[in-house]
Amino acid sequence: MLASRQLLGVARSRALGSASLGLRRMATVTDSPLDKKVRQNNWEENNFINYKKMSENLAIVRSRLNRPLTFAEKILYSHLDDPHGQEIERGSSYLKLRPDRVACQDATAQMAILQFMSAGMPSVANPTTVHCDHLIEAQVGGAKDLERAVSINKEVYDFLASACAKYNIGFWKPGSGIIHQILLENYAFPGGLLIGTDSHTPNAGGLGMAAIGVGGADAVDVMANLPWELKAPKVIGIKLTGQLSGWTAPKDIILKVAGILTVKGGTGAIVEYHGPGCETLSSTGAATVCNMGAEIGATTSLFPFNDRMYDYLAATRRTEIGDFARSYAKELREDEGAEYDQFIEINLSELEPHINGPFTPDLATPISKFSEAVKANGWPEELKVGLIGSCTNSSYEDMTRAASIARDALNHGLKAKSVFTVTPGSEQVRATIERDGQLQTFEEFGGIVLANACGPCIGQWDRRDVKKGEANSIISSYNRNFTGRNDGNPATHSFVTSPDLVVAMTVAGSLHFNPLTDKLKDKDGNEFLLTPPSGVALPERGYDPGQDTYQAPPADRTSVTVQVSPSSDRLQILSPFPPWDGKDATDCPILIKCKGKTTTDHISMAGPWLKYRGHLDNISNNMLIGAINAANGEANKVKNVTTGEWDAVPAVARDYKKKGIKWVVIGDWNYGEGSSREHAALEPRHLGGLAIITRSFARIHETNLKKQGMLPLTFADPADYDRINPDDKVDIKCTELAVGKPITMVVHPKDGAPYEVKLNHTFNESQIEWFKNGSALNTMAKAHK
């Protein structure tokens, strides 16, 4: 158990109570208000919030640990499968948890459902929803793009709609909005635990929910009523004081934090915000901060329940949930004296607007120094495109603030100099800003309103204003800006910031513009400063729900047939992976030694490849085509050791598989950061890979590799990465795989004597069974026999 004296580098933070949430007192299991039956949402009749059970679990854990708990710990421990017997030590124990919900977006849902179908169950055991948001390409504008997507993706949408109807899953049709906004508007509730097959699932932390991004195989476990396993996260406490004002927005909090913690600084940890500054942020503003926490590798991010969350629940027709949360409010925030593994304090009154990038979301620059950085680094100065919206920043508050800046420019006779796009996060937000006039303002300003979908944020953008390879700059209110992510152009310098700065810089058309200090010229040539943005958190007239885009499962599902064409090039029924042969692997070639940043975008690109997310063999043709080969500094060009020829990475992997040769990949730091896409693990497994050996892994990708029966291994000495040459061969002593013990890799250099390298891993007993059986899914099937 975790004793306070055992924590290294722990900072003590005094919890701040909220007068409106009542006096603090010890939890009891007989609180009569917790006996109420309150539905989780307005769509499902028989799924309830079980604060009573959570309270009982917490009481058991408190009696064992006898110390103050962080809010993150309270949520996790209140969802333990076995609160009496579970080993609990932050940073080392594997927790077996019972999440309240599962959510899948359409690109990852295909593989998750295909895997669930192979489990042979008649329906999901836990509440699950699927959201169609990833397959809509931005081209000319919302309605036409949506119509085109529905036509092009009919086969996939029909599969998802029929599978959801068959297995009792809620289905949100194309055009409904981005998964994370739909979850916040409909399904998130304070103190809940949700897993979602998308890395930005933590968005729901804006409503005090622990929402965690996972791979599809993890989702399948929960859909099949197995406990979900998570290594007990450490907890990073970020105390917020002061209050935002002027041009500074909630987005600037996470932009600043990303600069402090870097893309791997949150790995294995939950980021927990606390302090009086939290009370000043809207629920949707807090969601923005939690959403982009994925870019620092955090397991999830959380804000404590407060009146701003209650107001949002009420505005989204969930007052009963808000009232219920108030009755449980003492457990919806950190205990007084709770200790954090790392502690950061940010004064919101002193926080400056930031712009992060290019090419990485943790290169943080305050606006006062940004123009200087542009010059010093030779970044393209002209701003080609400004993009607002996405799952990170498309709330009513975001849109009203952004529209106020656009209206100010229009009142001075100015429009956007750069191309300007708007992505509403949901049909509800789109309909509401259409009713209230903000949409018209954006269109007058020169904006192109895109579909309620992910669009350019995930590379679904048919961009035509620059040629591939042409250096240019774009700026967005998105969350992720890896090389080529938005438009497939590796020369595009992509920067992320608040919607406010995006609009302001779009007026000027230049990266050198600082709206806090720099003047513009109006239509008559007179100089003026843009007025700082103003907006409202919630619409005064309430939300307009817009079009009904939800498909509930039918009452009688027996006659429903799942639609999968046997000749499809987009959907493929899965075959089980072969089990381990029980032997050490010898003379394995290194398929590729990856140099530098290797994200899931490098391993399994999105964009045009999204259409193959349901067809493992076809999508495997994009495996590692974006990774840089240390042997030649090029992408998608590796040497086939059996022929001596250079070829594409997937082609060489397929040739090795055909010849019965197991292969490995050598990776650098934080391998697999970014998206939760499990295809980045499925593809190497499908093409005959045995192990991925790196300096370190991102959390979700490491788990995904284990789930598919691969060996994610790390160098005990990170310097050994430099000793390995791309043309070496290796032996992997698989028979040494045991909990807590390193395994040996014997390196056979092309020229020179063999030598041994020690490799670490994080497998526990049950995960070792996944490797032995060939995958977690095989293990599940074996257990059901």
Side-chain angles (χ1 to χ4, degrees), residues 278-309:
C278 295
E279 310 288 331
T280 68
L281 299 177
S282 66
S283 181
T284 55
T288 291
V289 178
C290 294
N291 177 296
M292 195 175 158
E295 307 319 314
I296 58 172
T299 301
T300 193
S301 300
L302 276 172
F303 278 78
F305 177 66
N306 58 29
D307 287 347
R308 305 298 296 275
M309 294 182 188

PDB file of all heavy atoms in Angstrom, residues 278-309:
ATOM      1  N   CYS A 278      -9.988  26.789 -10.501  1.00  0.00           N
ATOM      2  CA  CYS A 278     -10.913  25.859 -11.167  1.00  0.00           C
ATOM      3  C   CYS A 278     -12.340  26.390 -11.162  1.00  0.00           C
ATOM      4  O   CYS A 278     -13.109  26.142 -12.102  1.00  0.00           O
ATOM      5  CB  CYS A 278     -10.879  24.491 -10.489  1.00  0.00           C
ATOM      6  SG  CYS A 278      -9.304  23.633 -10.609  1.00  0.00           S
ATOM      7  N   GLU A 279     -12.693  27.104 -10.104  1.00  0.00           N
ATOM      8  CA  GLU A 279     -14.064  27.613  -9.966  1.00  0.00           C
ATOM      9  C   GLU A 279     -14.371  28.677 -11.015  1.00  0.00           C
ATOM     10  O   GLU A 279     -15.544  28.981 -11.276  1.00  0.00           O
ATOM     11  CB  GLU A 279     -14.270  28.207  -8.560  1.00  0.00           C
ATOM     12  CG  GLU A 279     -13.836  27.313  -7.406  1.00  0.00           C
ATOM     13  CD  GLU A 279     -14.772  26.138  -7.194  1.00  0.00           C
ATOM     14  OE1 GLU A 279     -15.961  26.272  -7.509  1.00  0.00           O
ATOM     15  OE2 GLU A 279     -14.303  25.092  -6.725  1.00  0.00           O
ATOM     16  N   THR A 280     -13.330  29.261 -11.612  1.00  0.00           N
ATOM     17  CA  THR A 280     -13.538  30.365 -12.557  1.00  0.00           C
ATOM     18  C   THR A 280     -13.693  29.884 -13.999  1.00  0.00           C
ATOM     19  O   THR A 280     -14.027  30.673 -14.878  1.00  0.00           O
ATOM     20  CB  THR A 280     -12.356  31.345 -12.494  1.00  0.00           C
ATOM     21  OG1 THR A 280     -11.170  30.718 -13.022  1.00  0.00           O
ATOM     22  CG2 THR A 280     -12.084  31.794 -11.062  1.00  0.00           C
ATOM     23  N   LEU A 281     -13.436  28.597 -14.244  1.00  0.00           N
ATOM     24  CA  LEU A 281     -13.503  28.067 -15.601  1.00  0.00           C
ATOM     25  C   LEU A 281     -14.857  27.434 -15.869  1.00  0.00           C
ATOM     26  O   LEU A 281     -15.422  26.763 -15.003  1.00  0.00           O
ATOM     27  CB  LEU A 281     -12.424  27.007 -15.816  1.00  0.00           C
ATOM     28  CG  LEU A 281     -10.967  27.443 -15.654  1.00  0.00           C
ATOM     29  CD1 LEU A 281     -10.045  26.237 -15.844  1.00  0.00           C
ATOM     30  CD2 LEU A 281     -10.601  28.525 -16.662  1.00  0.00           C
ATOM     31  N   SER A 282     -15.374  27.612 -17.072  1.00  0.00           N
ATOM     32  CA  SER A 282     -16.598  26.910 -17.458  1.00  0.00           C
ATOM     33  C   SER A 282     -16.304  25.422 -17.579  1.00  0.00           C
ATOM     34  O   SER A 282     -15.153  25.001 -17.701  1.00  0.00           O
ATOM     35  CB  SER A 282     -17.103  27.438 -18.800  1.00  0.00           C
ATOM     36  OG  SER A 282     -16.176  27.102 -19.830  1.00  0.00           O
ATOM     37  N   SER A 283     -17.363  24.627 -17.571  1.00  0.00           N
ATOM     38  CA  SER A 283     -17.191  23.187 -17.729  1.00  0.00           C
ATOM     39  C   SER A 283     -16.564  22.874 -19.090  1.00  0.00           C
ATOM     40  O   SER A 283     -15.682  22.018 -19.189  1.00  0.00           O
ATOM     41  CB  SER A 283     -18.551  22.496 -17.607  1.00  0.00           C
ATOM     42  OG  SER A 283     -18.424  21.103 -17.739  1.00  0.00           O
ATOM     43  N   THR A 284     -16.998  23.571 -20.133  1.00  0.00           N
ATOM     44  CA  THR A 284     -16.438  23.317 -21.457  1.00  0.00           C
ATOM     45  C   THR A 284     -14.998  23.811 -21.552  1.00  0.00           C
ATOM     46  O   THR A 284     -14.192  23.228 -22.277  1.00  0.00           O
ATOM     47  CB  THR A 284     -17.305  23.953 -22.560  1.00  0.00           C
ATOM     48  OG1 THR A 284     -17.476  25.348 -22.283  1.00  0.00           O
ATOM     49  CG2 THR A 284     -18.656  23.272 -22.639  1.00  0.00           C
ATOM     50  N   GLY A 285     -14.664  24.881 -20.829  1.00  0.00           N
ATOM     51  CA  GLY A 285     -13.277  25.346 -20.787  1.00  0.00           C
ATOM     52  C   GLY A 285     -12.382  24.323 -20.117  1.00  0.00           C
ATOM     53  O   GLY A 285     -11.260  24.041 -20.571  1.00  0.00           O
ATOM     54  N   ALA A 286     -12.877  23.739 -19.021  1.00  0.00           N
ATOM     55  CA  ALA A 286     -12.129  22.673 -18.348  1.00  0.00           C
ATOM     56  C   ALA A 286     -11.969  21.467 -19.265  1.00  0.00           C
ATOM     57  O   ALA A 286     -10.918  20.813 -19.283  1.00  0.00           O
ATOM     58  CB  ALA A 286     -12.848  22.278 -17.053  1.00  0.00           C
ATOM     59  N   ALA A 287     -13.016  21.171 -20.055  1.00  0.00           N
ATOM     60  CA  ALA A 287     -12.943  20.044 -20.990  1.00  0.00           C
ATOM     61  C   ALA A 287     -11.833  20.259 -22.017  1.00  0.00           C
ATOM     62  O   ALA A 287     -11.115  19.317 -22.378  1.00  0.00           O
ATOM     63  CB  ALA A 287     -14.288  19.859 -21.689  1.00  0.00           C
ATOM     64  N   THR A 288     -11.678  21.487 -22.488  1.00  0.00           N
ATOM     65  CA  THR A 288     -10.593  21.811 -23.425  1.00  0.00           C
ATOM     66  C   THR A 288      -9.242  21.446 -22.828  1.00  0.00           C
ATOM     67  O   THR A 288      -8.394  20.829 -23.485  1.00  0.00           O
ATOM     68  CB  THR A 288     -10.618  23.313 -23.775  1.00  0.00           C
ATOM     69  OG1 THR A 288     -11.778  23.590 -24.566  1.00  0.00           O
ATOM     70  CG2 THR A 288      -9.378  23.735 -24.536  1.00  0.00           C
ATOM     71  N   VAL A 289      -9.039  21.828 -21.585  1.00  0.00           N
ATOM     72  CA  VAL A 289      -7.766  21.556 -20.908  1.00  0.00           C
ATOM     73  C   VAL A 289      -7.535  20.051 -20.796  1.00  0.00           C
ATOM     74  O   VAL A 289      -6.441  19.544 -21.070  1.00  0.00           O
ATOM     75  CB  VAL A 289      -7.754  22.211 -19.508  1.00  0.00           C
ATOM     76  CG1 VAL A 289      -6.456  21.896 -18.773  1.00  0.00           C
ATOM     77  CG2 VAL A 289      -7.946  23.722 -19.623  1.00  0.00           C
ATOM     78  N   CYS A 290      -8.580  19.318 -20.414  1.00  0.00           N
ATOM     79  CA  CYS A 290      -8.463  17.861 -20.254  1.00  0.00           C
ATOM     80  C   CYS A 290      -8.225  17.176 -21.599  1.00  0.00           C
ATOM     81  O   CYS A 290      -7.441  16.229 -21.698  1.00  0.00           O
ATOM     82  CB  CYS A 290      -9.720  17.298 -19.608  1.00  0.00           C
ATOM     83  SG  CYS A 290      -9.974  17.839 -17.908  1.00  0.00           S
ATOM     84  N   ASN A 291      -8.899  17.660 -22.609  1.00  0.00           N
ATOM     85  CA  ASN A 291      -8.800  17.066 -23.941  1.00  0.00           C
ATOM     86  C   ASN A 291      -7.354  17.038 -24.421  1.00  0.00           C
ATOM     87  O   ASN A 291      -6.835  16.001 -24.831  1.00  0.00           O
ATOM     88  CB  ASN A 291      -9.678  17.877 -24.900  1.00  0.00           C
ATOM     89  CG  ASN A 291      -9.609  17.407 -26.339  1.00  0.00           C
ATOM     90  OD1 ASN A 291      -8.566  17.468 -26.978  1.00  0.00           O
ATOM     91  ND2 ASN A 291     -10.728  16.959 -26.866  1.00  0.00           N
ATOM     92  N   MET A 292      -6.693  18.173 -24.366  1.00  0.00           N
ATOM     93  CA  MET A 292      -5.339  18.251 -24.912  1.00  0.00           C
ATOM     94  C   MET A 292      -4.306  17.665 -23.959  1.00  0.00           C
ATOM     95  O   MET A 292      -3.135  17.530 -24.306  1.00  0.00           O
ATOM     96  CB  MET A 292      -4.989  19.688 -25.291  1.00  0.00           C
ATOM     97  CG  MET A 292      -3.765  19.758 -26.188  1.00  0.00           C
ATOM     98  SD  MET A 292      -3.380  21.417 -26.774  1.00  0.00           S
ATOM     99  CE  MET A 292      -1.632  21.179 -27.162  1.00  0.00           C
ATOM    100  N   GLY A 293      -4.731  17.258 -22.763  1.00  0.00           N
ATOM    101  CA  GLY A 293      -3.826  16.542 -21.863  1.00  0.00           C
ATOM    102  C   GLY A 293      -3.297  15.260 -22.481  1.00  0.00           C
ATOM    103  O   GLY A 293      -2.258  14.743 -22.074  1.00  0.00           O
ATOM    104  N   ALA A 294      -4.008  14.750 -23.497  1.00  0.00           N
ATOM    105  CA  ALA A 294      -3.519  13.568 -24.222  1.00  0.00           C
ATOM    106  C   ALA A 294      -2.160  13.842 -24.847  1.00  0.00           C
ATOM    107  O   ALA A 294      -1.351  12.922 -25.031  1.00  0.00           O
ATOM    108  CB  ALA A 294      -4.522  13.175 -25.304  1.00  0.00           C
ATOM    109  N   GLU A 295      -1.878  15.113 -25.171  1.00  0.00           N
ATOM    110  CA  GLU A 295      -0.617  15.440 -25.859  1.00  0.00           C
ATOM    111  C   GLU A 295       0.592  15.410 -24.942  1.00  0.00           C
ATOM    112  O   GLU A 295       1.726  15.514 -25.410  1.00  0.00           O
ATOM    113  CB  GLU A 295      -0.718  16.813 -26.533  1.00  0.00           C
ATOM    114  CG  GLU A 295      -1.905  16.987 -27.451  1.00  0.00           C
ATOM    115  CD  GLU A 295      -2.180  15.768 -28.312  1.00  0.00           C
ATOM    116  OE1 GLU A 295      -1.234  15.213 -28.889  1.00  0.00           O
ATOM    117  OE2 GLU A 295      -3.353  15.351 -28.387  1.00  0.00           O
ATOM    118  N   ILE A 296       0.388  15.310 -23.637  1.00  0.00           N
ATOM    119  CA  ILE A 296       1.523  15.148 -22.721  1.00  0.00           C
ATOM    120  C   ILE A 296       1.616  13.696 -22.243  1.00  0.00           C
ATOM    121  O   ILE A 296       2.378  13.386 -21.341  1.00  0.00           O
ATOM    122  CB  ILE A 296       1.450  16.115 -21.517  1.00  0.00           C
ATOM    123  CG1 ILE A 296       0.152  15.928 -20.720  1.00  0.00           C
ATOM    124  CG2 ILE A 296       1.579  17.559 -21.992  1.00  0.00           C
ATOM    125  CD1 ILE A 296       0.091  16.697 -19.421  1.00  0.00           C
ATOM    126  N   GLY A 297       0.824  12.823 -22.871  1.00  0.00           N
ATOM    127  CA  GLY A 297       0.869  11.401 -22.528  1.00  0.00           C
ATOM    128  C   GLY A 297       0.082  11.032 -21.295  1.00  0.00           C
ATOM    129  O   GLY A 297       0.165   9.883 -20.838  1.00  0.00           O
ATOM    130  N   ALA A 298      -0.687  11.964 -20.736  1.00  0.00           N
ATOM    131  CA  ALA A 298      -1.414  11.686 -19.490  1.00  0.00           C
ATOM    132  C   ALA A 298      -2.485  10.616 -19.702  1.00  0.00           C
ATOM    133  O   ALA A 298      -3.137  10.566 -20.742  1.00  0.00           O
ATOM    134  CB  ALA A 298      -2.066  12.960 -18.957  1.00  0.00           C
ATOM    135  N   THR A 299      -2.673   9.780 -18.694  1.00  0.00           N
ATOM    136  CA  THR A 299      -3.726   8.761 -18.728  1.00  0.00           C
ATOM    137  C   THR A 299      -5.084   9.423 -18.888  1.00  0.00           C
ATOM    138  O   THR A 299      -5.912   8.995 -19.686  1.00  0.00           O
ATOM    139  CB  THR A 299      -3.679   7.918 -17.440  1.00  0.00           C
ATOM    140  OG1 THR A 299      -2.384   7.309 -17.347  1.00  0.00           O
ATOM    141  CG2 THR A 299      -4.752   6.853 -17.432  1.00  0.00           C
ATOM    142  N   THR A 300      -5.320  10.465 -18.125  1.00  0.00           N
ATOM    143  CA  THR A 300      -6.466  11.345 -18.300  1.00  0.00           C
ATOM    144  C   THR A 300      -6.204  12.600 -17.484  1.00  0.00           C
ATOM    145  O   THR A 300      -5.181  12.715 -16.801  1.00  0.00           O
ATOM    146  CB  THR A 300      -7.797  10.670 -17.891  1.00  0.00           C
ATOM    147  OG1 THR A 300      -8.891  11.457 -18.375  1.00  0.00           O
ATOM    148  CG2 THR A 300      -7.927  10.496 -16.385  1.00  0.00           C
ATOM    149  N   SER A 301      -7.126  13.556 -17.557  1.00  0.00           N
ATOM    150  CA  SER A 301      -7.053  14.778 -16.756  1.00  0.00           C
ATOM    151  C   SER A 301      -8.424  15.027 -16.154  1.00  0.00           C
ATOM    152  O   SER A 301      -9.445  14.621 -16.722  1.00  0.00           O
ATOM    153  CB  SER A 301      -6.625  15.971 -17.606  1.00  0.00           C
ATOM    154  OG  SER A 301      -5.353  15.770 -18.184  1.00  0.00           O
ATOM    155  N   LEU A 302      -8.443  15.716 -15.022  1.00  0.00           N
ATOM    156  CA  LEU A 302      -9.670  15.859 -14.230  1.00  0.00           C
ATOM    157  C   LEU A 302      -9.789  17.240 -13.601  1.00  0.00           C
ATOM    158  O   LEU A 302      -8.779  17.824 -13.188  1.00  0.00           O
ATOM    159  CB  LEU A 302      -9.643  14.873 -13.067  1.00  0.00           C
ATOM    160  CG  LEU A 302     -10.082  13.435 -13.250  1.00  0.00           C
ATOM    161  CD1 LEU A 302      -9.744  12.673 -11.985  1.00  0.00           C
ATOM    162  CD2 LEU A 302     -11.576  13.379 -13.515  1.00  0.00           C
ATOM    163  N   PHE A 303     -11.022  17.724 -13.514  1.00  0.00           N
ATOM    164  CA  PHE A 303     -11.337  18.888 -12.683  1.00  0.00           C
ATOM    165  C   PHE A 303     -12.353  18.458 -11.627  1.00  0.00           C
ATOM    166  O   PHE A 303     -13.192  17.599 -11.888  1.00  0.00           O
ATOM    167  CB  PHE A 303     -11.940  20.010 -13.530  1.00  0.00           C
ATOM    168  CG  PHE A 303     -10.919  20.848 -14.249  1.00  0.00           C
ATOM    169  CD1 PHE A 303     -10.314  20.372 -15.401  1.00  0.00           C
ATOM    170  CD2 PHE A 303     -10.551  22.100 -13.763  1.00  0.00           C
ATOM    171  CE1 PHE A 303      -9.376  21.136 -16.080  1.00  0.00           C
ATOM    172  CE2 PHE A 303      -9.610  22.869 -14.427  1.00  0.00           C
ATOM    173  CZ  PHE A 303      -9.019  22.391 -15.590  1.00  0.00           C
ATOM    174  N   PRO A 304     -12.297  19.042 -10.427  1.00  0.00           N
ATOM    175  CA  PRO A 304     -13.271  18.691  -9.384  1.00  0.00           C
ATOM    176  C   PRO A 304     -14.648  19.254  -9.709  1.00  0.00           C
ATOM    177  O   PRO A 304     -14.780  20.286 -10.372  1.00  0.00           O
ATOM    178  CB  PRO A 304     -12.685  19.359  -8.125  1.00  0.00           C
ATOM    179  CG  PRO A 304     -11.890  20.520  -8.652  1.00  0.00           C
ATOM    180  CD  PRO A 304     -11.329  20.077  -9.975  1.00  0.00           C
ATOM    181  N   PHE A 305     -15.655  18.562  -9.246  1.00  0.00           N
ATOM    182  CA  PHE A 305     -17.038  18.998  -9.461  1.00  0.00           C
ATOM    183  C   PHE A 305     -17.269  20.350  -8.800  1.00  0.00           C
ATOM    184  O   PHE A 305     -16.848  20.598  -7.667  1.00  0.00           O
ATOM    185  CB  PHE A 305     -18.000  17.963  -8.871  1.00  0.00           C
ATOM    186  CG  PHE A 305     -19.449  18.349  -8.980  1.00  0.00           C
ATOM    187  CD1 PHE A 305     -20.065  18.442 -10.216  1.00  0.00           C
ATOM    188  CD2 PHE A 305     -20.200  18.630  -7.842  1.00  0.00           C
ATOM    189  CE1 PHE A 305     -21.414  18.799 -10.324  1.00  0.00           C
ATOM    190  CE2 PHE A 305     -21.540  18.980  -7.938  1.00  0.00           C
ATOM    191  CZ  PHE A 305     -22.150  19.069  -9.183  1.00  0.00           C
ATOM    192  N   ASN A 306     -17.955  21.234  -9.527  1.00  0.00           N
ATOM    193  CA  ASN A 306     -18.269  22.554  -8.971  1.00  0.00           C
ATOM    194  C   ASN A 306     -19.558  23.084  -9.594  1.00  0.00           C
ATOM    195  O   ASN A 306     -20.213  22.404 -10.392  1.00  0.00           O
ATOM    196  CB  ASN A 306     -17.097  23.529  -9.179  1.00  0.00           C
ATOM    197  CG  ASN A 306     -16.718  23.702 -10.651  1.00  0.00           C
ATOM    198  OD1 ASN A 306     -17.567  23.563 -11.540  1.00  0.00           O
ATOM    199  ND2 ASN A 306     -15.456  23.998 -10.900  1.00  0.00           N
ATOM    200  N   ASP A 307     -19.905  24.302  -9.231  1.00  0.00           N
ATOM    201  CA  ASP A 307     -21.164  24.890  -9.693  1.00  0.00           C
ATOM    202  C   ASP A 307     -21.189  25.106 -11.204  1.00  0.00           C
ATOM    203  O   ASP A 307     -22.255  25.090 -11.822  1.00  0.00           O
ATOM    204  CB  ASP A 307     -21.423  26.221  -8.980  1.00  0.00           C
ATOM    205  CG  ASP A 307     -21.829  26.025  -7.529  1.00  0.00           C
ATOM    206  OD1 ASP A 307     -22.143  24.880  -7.159  1.00  0.00           O
ATOM    207  OD2 ASP A 307     -21.822  27.014  -6.770  1.00  0.00           O
ATOM    208  N   ARG A 308     -20.016  25.323 -11.814  1.00  0.00           N
ATOM    209  CA  ARG A 308     -19.985  25.535 -13.270  1.00  0.00           C
ATOM    210  C   ARG A 308     -20.363  24.241 -14.004  1.00  0.00           C
ATOM    211  O   ARG A 308     -21.006  24.276 -15.044  1.00  0.00           O
ATOM    212  CB  ARG A 308     -18.589  26.003 -13.714  1.00  0.00           C
ATOM    213  CG  ARG A 308     -18.059  27.245 -12.996  1.00  0.00           C
ATOM    214  CD  ARG A 308     -18.940  28.465 -13.227  1.00  0.00           C
ATOM    215  NE  ARG A 308     -18.983  28.894 -14.623  1.00  0.00           N
ATOM    216  CZ  ARG A 308     -18.096  29.699 -15.204  1.00  0.00           C
ATOM    217  NH1 ARG A 308     -17.060  30.162 -14.503  1.00  0.00           N
ATOM    218  NH2 ARG A 308     -18.228  30.056 -16.458  1.00  0.00           N
ATOM    219  N   MET A 309     -19.968  23.120 -13.425  1.00  0.00           N
ATOM    220  CA  MET A 309     -20.372  21.829 -13.999  1.00  0.00           C
ATOM    221  C   MET A 309     -21.872  21.602 -13.807  1.00  0.00           C
ATOM    222  O   MET A 309     -22.554  21.099 -14.703  1.00  0.00           O
ATOM    223  CB  MET A 309     -19.572  20.689 -13.359  1.00  0.00           C
ATOM    224  CG  MET A 309     -18.098  20.718 -13.673  1.00  0.00           C
ATOM    225  SD  MET A 309     -17.251  19.301 -12.935  1.00  0.00           S
ATOM    226  CE  MET A 309     -15.538  19.740 -13.251  1.00  0.00           C
TER     227      MET A 309
END
